[in-house]
Amino acid sequence: MDDIEIPESHPRYESLLTRHRIEAGVEKGITSQQGLIAQGRGEAYDYLLGEETIDTADEAARAAAAHLLLADHAVLSVNGNAAALVPGELVELAEATGADVEVNLFNRTEERMEAIAEHLREHGAEDVLGLEADGRIPGLDHERAKVDADGIGDADVVLVPLEDGDRAEALAAMGKTELVIDLNPLSRSAQTATVPIVDNIIRAVPTITAHARELQDASRDELEGITDSFDREAALAAAEDAIRGGRLD
Ligand code: PTJ
């Protein structure tokens, strides 16, 4: 992250920077080894999407911003990949929307929980939830089910970037409004989301923040108009079409 030298003119600048961040995340004890594989999968979809935010992903990001602003209690769930790729950007999104930040891991270890919480604090987070682990997501086995009772346990709106499908389904079954960032429109996470944002987390988080800032003074009616008119099925279909159309270079 810090000692990297990739010329910005490189045609794959963003992709190389992303790889470097994930690698540094593994070295720092933040990202799991499986996170490398997950990133590779994501990259393949991103390549086919043209490595850009398609219009429907931008609309989804706007709907996600509106949900976060309307929420009674919004929580941004942070795993090892999200923490490595967009730590400061997640803190900014939390500030723009009043959401809490909670570390929530698929492969949970106390060492990684602590390392991620510390990494987020280094990037400006004041309160980082997830370490209490006094709540449970029903329907999951012990370690993967742990959440904070006054964090994700209590939230009505949760942003889950790069979530494992099982947990995304279990959170949805709890009746939470689930905002998912996932480059694969066919993944169970994207398919179960209230708002699937089919975009790279590197672009998606700043896009949601930009919409949230722009909507800061919007009325409840206006925000509800945005959430109600968002068509998740159409967004998923458009992303799938864009990927099938693919790119040939
Ligand atoms: O840090 P942990 O222990 O919580 O583990 C995190 C990972 C991501 C390893 C874990 O949740 C996992 O194994 O996830 P999956 O099942 O591999 O799913 C990850 C999804 O994220 C896949 O559908 C990928 O296409 C997608 N993805 C990968 N990189 C990105 C991405 N989506 C958006 N932006 C990316 N950069």
Side-chain angles (χ1 to χ4, degrees), residues 99-145:
D100 284 333
V101 173
E102 176 161 344
V103 184
N104 191 243
L105 300 183
F106 177 65
N107 295 301
R108 186 185 175 103
T109 65
E110 286 317 306
E111 294 73 24
R112 219 147 58 78
M113 292 293 297
E114 290 290 348
I116 292 172
E118 186 49 34
H119 186 64
L120 290 170
R121 286 187 208 107
E122 283 167 15
H123 283 84
E126 281 172 15
D127 284 319
V128 180
L129 304 175
L131 302 165
E132 300 265 332
D134 52 353
R136 294 278 174 278
I137 306 173
L140 293 178
D141 58 49
H142 189 65
E143 285 302 305
R144 291 189 313 145

Side-chain angles (χ1 to χ4, degrees), residues 19 26 31-32 62 66 70 75 120 127 137 172 181-182 210 213 215 222 234:
R19 285 185 185 184
V26 174
T31 310
S32 71
R62 190 170 176 79
L70 281 167
V75 174
L120 290 170
D127 284 319
I137 306 173
I181 301 172
D182 194 320
R213 288 189 176 135
L215 293 169
E222 196 182 330

Side-chain angles (χ1 to χ4, degrees), residues 18 22 30-46 78-82 85 104-109 112 116 161-167 181-190 197-204:
T18 305
I22 287 284
I30 288 171
T31 310
S32 71
Q33 305 258 5
Q34 288 187 21
L36 295 168
I37 299 169
Q39 172 62 28
R41 191 141 55 115
E43 258 188 38
Y45 288 106
D46 204 16
V78 182
N79 65 18
N81 286 51
L85 292 177
N104 191 243
L105 300 183
F106 177 65
N107 295 301
R108 186 185 175 103
T109 65
R112 219 147 58 78
I116 292 172
L162 284 65
E163 184 57 281
D164 146 77
D166 244 21
R167 294 204 318 168
I181 301 172
D182 194 320
L183 278 158
N184 177 4
L186 299 174
S187 77
R188 266 189 300 153
S189 309
I197 306 162
V198 183
D199 200 6
N200 197 322
I201 187 174
I202 287 236
R203 297 187 298 271

Side-chain angles (χ1 to χ4, degrees), residues 139-156:
L140 293 178
D141 58 49
H142 189 65
E143 285 302 305
R144 291 189 313 145
K146 287 183 175 175
V147 288
D148 274 16
D150 65 354
I152 289 178
D154 172 67
D156 55 340

Side-chain angles (χ1 to χ4, degrees), residues 66-86:
H67 273 295
L68 290 170
L69 292 170
L70 281 167
D72 288 329
H73 182 193
V75 174
L76 314 182
S77 173
V78 182
N79 65 18
N81 286 51
L85 292 177
V86 283

